[in-house]
Amino acid sequence: MRGVLVLCFIHGFKGDESTFGQFPKDLRQTLSHSLTDYEIMEKTYPQYQTRGELSDCIEAFMKWLDDTIEQLETASLRVRVVLIGHSMGGFVAAGTVFGLNANVHRGYTSIRHISGILALDTPFLGVNAGVLANGAETSSSVVQSIAARMTRISQDLICWSQDLALVQRWIVYLLCATAVSLGTKMLYSNKDTALSNGSTWASSHMQFLSYLARLEKLQQDLASLVRLHTSGQAFFLNVVTALRPDSGNFETFDRPRTFCTLPPEGTPARDHFYIIINSKSANEIQAHTQMFLPCHFPDYYTMRDLIISQLVEWTVRE
């Protein structure tokens, strides 16, 4: 046996260990048939608080990853790790690689074990503006009203403005408004013990999501991921869900109906975004959240087999 390959799963905003369903087990069992020289292990990072500074979440994950690898490593056993992050979990994975590179002399050793980053619908360039127009369903009339206004503004921005950072900020405001709405509902249901914490809950979650509004930073980090892949330091791929081109009756601004904003065609980063069509979901949010449910994602096994092929290639190339 050549060693151990650890598939490390990281959930996204307001997710938990159940986010991935049976996908980790399915991936491990299927991959073991292709990489017979390795013991394939799955590790799901325990639920973490998706609030406050993203850097704090990354720091906590780095420590957990180092401790996890230390428990597995022996003198005769080689440990390789692939970080698999869904949605905002992809940012935690990327930030971990960046942070471990920067802090390698501060006691962290897990950077030498990381083979690559497999992101699953991570909005490395922000959330696609079409998500606003196509309607993220919500039970809150307040958020619906905000979304309707922001959709009209976003349409104007997309048609008349090149200020993509401004478009991204509007999208983040909608996501934050949704979070606040859900948080307010939660707090009201527990008002006797939690109502006084409402403003703290809302602001801390807005702080976490605000990373999506920093377009220049997003572009720089994506370029860094591409460079890491090219240099062979850490392989990188982002599997992106999309709807059929004829899905719905909404304007799509002549862009693919994806949850994530895609890099421009012909750029190096675009080669690292692989699109999988979900022919069943009604909108981008559903496709994004149901990508690990075969009953809601007809091409689930196509996605799984693509990922298997990529993981085998990365492992063999090392």
Side-chain angles (χ1 to χ4, degrees):
M1 181 176 292
R2 294 181 58 186
V4 175
L5 177 61
V6 181
L7 308 178
C8 183
F9 293 85
I10 315 165
H11 69 73
F13 182 69
K14 298 304 295 175
D16 57 29
E17 296 93 329
S18 67
T19 291
F20 298 97
Q22 293 299 306
F23 183 62
K25 179 180 178 181
D26 187 11
L27 202 61
R28 172 179 57 80
Q29 291 179 338
T30 309
L31 185 60
S32 64
H33 298 304
S34 299
L35 292 175
T36 55
D37 288 343
Y38 286 83
E39 178 185 357
I40 312 299
M41 299 182 64
E42 55 176 282
K43 295 284 185 181
T44 300
Y45 184 46
Q47 184 179 20
Y48 61 96
Q49 292 295 324
T50 52
R51 63 186 184 188
E53 289 290 344
L54 179 62
S55 58
D56 293 338
C57 297
I58 293 170
E59 182 74 24
F61 176 75
M62 286 165 56
K63 184 178 185 309
W64 176 86
L65 183 63
D66 244 40
D67 292 342
T68 300
I69 292 176
E70 184 178 353
Q71 294 172 12
L72 296 173
E73 191 174 28
T74 67
S76 59
L77 193 62
R78 185 186 187 209
V79 178
R80 306 305 301 160
V81 178
V82 175
L83 303 180
I84 304 176
H86 176 242
S87 195
M88 292 295 286
F91 287 115
V92 175
T96 296
V97 172
F98 298 152
L100 288 173
N101 268 312
N103 296 321
V104 69
H105 299 299
R106 206 181 71 178
Y108 289 113
T109 60
S110 50
I111 184 61
R112 60 190 174 89
H113 296 276
I114 297 176
S115 297
I117 296 170
L118 175 65
L120 301 169
D121 231 11
T122 295
F124 284 109
L125 291 178
V127 178
N128 194 337
V131 172
L132 285 175
N134 295 327
E137 297 177 0
T138 173
S139 59
S140 168
S141 59
V142 175
V143 176
Q144 286 178 340
S145 175
I146 294 173
R149 294 181 185 181
M150 290 170 62
T151 294
R152 290 194 294 272
I153 293 171
S154 296
Q155 287 173 331
D156 291 340
L157 286 171
I158 291 168
C159 292
W160 305 110
S161 173
Q162 297 300 312
D163 190 352
L164 294 179
L166 184 58
V167 176
Q168 288 295 340
R169 282 197 292 274
W170 277 108
I171 294 171
V172 171
Y173 294 156
L174 174 60
L175 293 174
C176 290
T178 303
V180 171
S181 174
L182 294 173
T184 301
K185 183 177 180 180
M186 177 197 72
L187 291 168
Y188 182 78
S189 64
N190 299 280
K191 59 182 179 297
D192 293 336
T193 58
L195 192 56
S196 61
N197 297 323
S199 60
T200 301
W201 190 97
S203 62
S204 64
H205 284 78
M206 285 184 180
Q207 188 177 13
F208 185 84
L209 288 172
S210 66
Y211 183 80
L212 293 173
R214 307 171 192 171
L215 184 60
E216 185 175 352
K217 172 66 171 169
L218 294 175
Q219 292 171 332
Q220 291 172 352
D221 286 351
L222 180 57
S224 295
L225 288 172
V226 174
R227 284 195 296 271
L228 286 171
H229 179 95
T230 303
S231 67
Q233 290 178 266
F235 299 116
F236 167 61
L237 180 70
N238 190 20
V239 178
V240 177
T241 60
L243 305 186
R244 294 176 306 176
D246 60 345
S247 296
N249 299 312
F250 303 99
E251 293 292 333
T252 60
F253 313 118
D254 297 322
R255 302 180 183 193
R257 287 195 59 179
T258 56
F259 177 82
C260 305
T261 296
L262 299 176
E265 291 281 2
T267 61
R270 185 57 178 264
D271 294 338
H272 296 270
F273 281 60
Y274 193 98
I275 298 175
I276 298 284
I277 301 294
N278 187 326
S279 59
K280 196 170 184 178
S281 293
N283 56 54
E284 295 90 339
I285 301 293
Q286 283 187 12
H288 178 72
T289 58
Q290 297 176 347
M291 65 187 301
F292 308 115
L293 301 174
C295 58
H296 294 291
F297 188 8
D299 275 340
Y300 166 88
Y301 294 105
T302 300
M303 176 186 72
R304 183 202 64 184
D305 292 345
L306 163 74
I307 291 172
I308 293 292
S309 175
Q310 195 67 71
L311 292 176
V312 170
E313 180 183 336
W314 289 354
T315 305
V316 170
R317 284 172 59 181
E318 283 196 299

